[in-house]
Amino acid sequence: MVSCHVERPLDDAAWDRFDRLQRRRPGGFDVIALMRPPDAEHGEAEEPWLERARAAAARVPFGLHTHWTSPTHARPTNGDPAARVRREAEWMRERGLEPRYFCGGGWYTDEAVRATVAELGLVDCTSRRGEPSPGVLPTTHSLGSLARAVLRPLPHYVHAYFHDYDLLDARRRYALVASLAVLGRRAEKI
Ligand SMILES: [Zn+2]
């Protein structure tokens, strides 16, 4: 499986690249958008965000990617991390968006966050290793490690991720699309 951490949902260039990639389905993969709600404290407006999130969620199940501190600082610096996850999932649901996956920003998690994610019925993608288990689909490969992995015998389970801004770099974009094409030919999708 393949997911994208949408770090800059209101950046037109990054969104345009992501939108095109998701519609193109490289390698035949549904690219899951993992998104954080707009951050009003940091001047992000709700309307354009909603339009984009709804477009992404209409194509493929989507997910919540909580940034606890700010758009550019993912990990928590204060407050109650689990409460924020619950607030953000509820915020999405109130607007008709139904997140199905969760990935903690900066790969952060703790016991209360894990319990909240499970209680909200989200599939947790925060773990960086291991096999899928009920409610858990670890994120195993970065763009770089995916590019190397597709040249060798494939592991049993691959969940690749990238960032929307990776798509702004032509070399990284090409590497991703080429790797997914190879992976798509070789893999059974889940
Ligand atoms: Zn992030």
Side-chain angles (χ1 to χ4, degrees):
M1 63 185 277
V2 182
S3 60
C4 174
H5 295 191
V6 179
E7 302 288 317
R8 302 181 192 168
L10 299 182
D11 175 329
D12 291 342
W15 180 261
D16 183 58
R17 284 288 177 194
F18 171 74
D19 185 59
R20 277 197 267 170
L21 185 95
Q22 198 190 35
R23 279 186 278 137
R24 182 175 162 193
R25 303 182 74 251
F29 286 100
D30 284 337
V31 178
I32 296 162
L34 298 171
M35 299 182 72
R36 53 182 182 77
D39 192 327
E41 265 179 53
H42 291 86
E44 293 185 332
E46 184 170 326
E47 247 341 290
W49 186 95
L50 277 176
E51 189 183 317
R52 291 175 177 184
R54 285 180 178 139
R59 295 182 195 126
V60 172
F62 106 135
L64 171 61
H65 175 59
T66 294
H67 272 211
W68 279 278
T69 301
S70 78
T72 54
H73 189 139
R75 293 173 76 87
T77 40
N78 56 34
D80 177 346
R84 178 145 184 169
V85 171
R86 181 182 302 282
R87 213 161 54 235
E88 293 194 341
E90 284 168 357
W91 185 93
M92 288 179 167
R93 286 173 175 168
E94 281 162 15
R95 285 155 184 79
L97 288 159
E98 190 53 54
R100 191 179 296 177
Y101 301 95
F102 173 80
C103 185
W107 310 108
Y108 177 83
T109 191
D110 60 35
E111 216 168 289
V113 167
R114 277 190 291 275
T116 299
V117 167
E119 197 190 311
L120 289 165
L122 307 179
V123 174
D124 198 341
C125 302
T126 311
S127 167
R128 294 306 314 277
R129 53 185 72 244
E131 295 277 319
S133 58
V136 175
L137 288 171
T139 305
T140 57
H141 288 69
S142 66
L143 209 162
S145 64
L146 175 70
R148 291 187 295 275
V150 295
L151 302 174
R152 299 196 291 248
L154 279 181
H156 176 68
Y157 167 75
V158 175
H159 174 175
Y161 88 99
F162 61 97
H163 301 101
D164 53 353
Y165 56 74
D166 289 323
L167 302 173
L168 296 171
D169 178 314
R171 281 183 57 189
R172 292 182 75 73
R173 187 169 71 245
Y174 178 77
L176 174 70
V177 169
S179 300
L180 292 180
V182 177
L183 187 67
R185 282 197 298 274
R186 298 184 58 199
E188 255 178 71
K189 297 170 187 80
I190 58 173

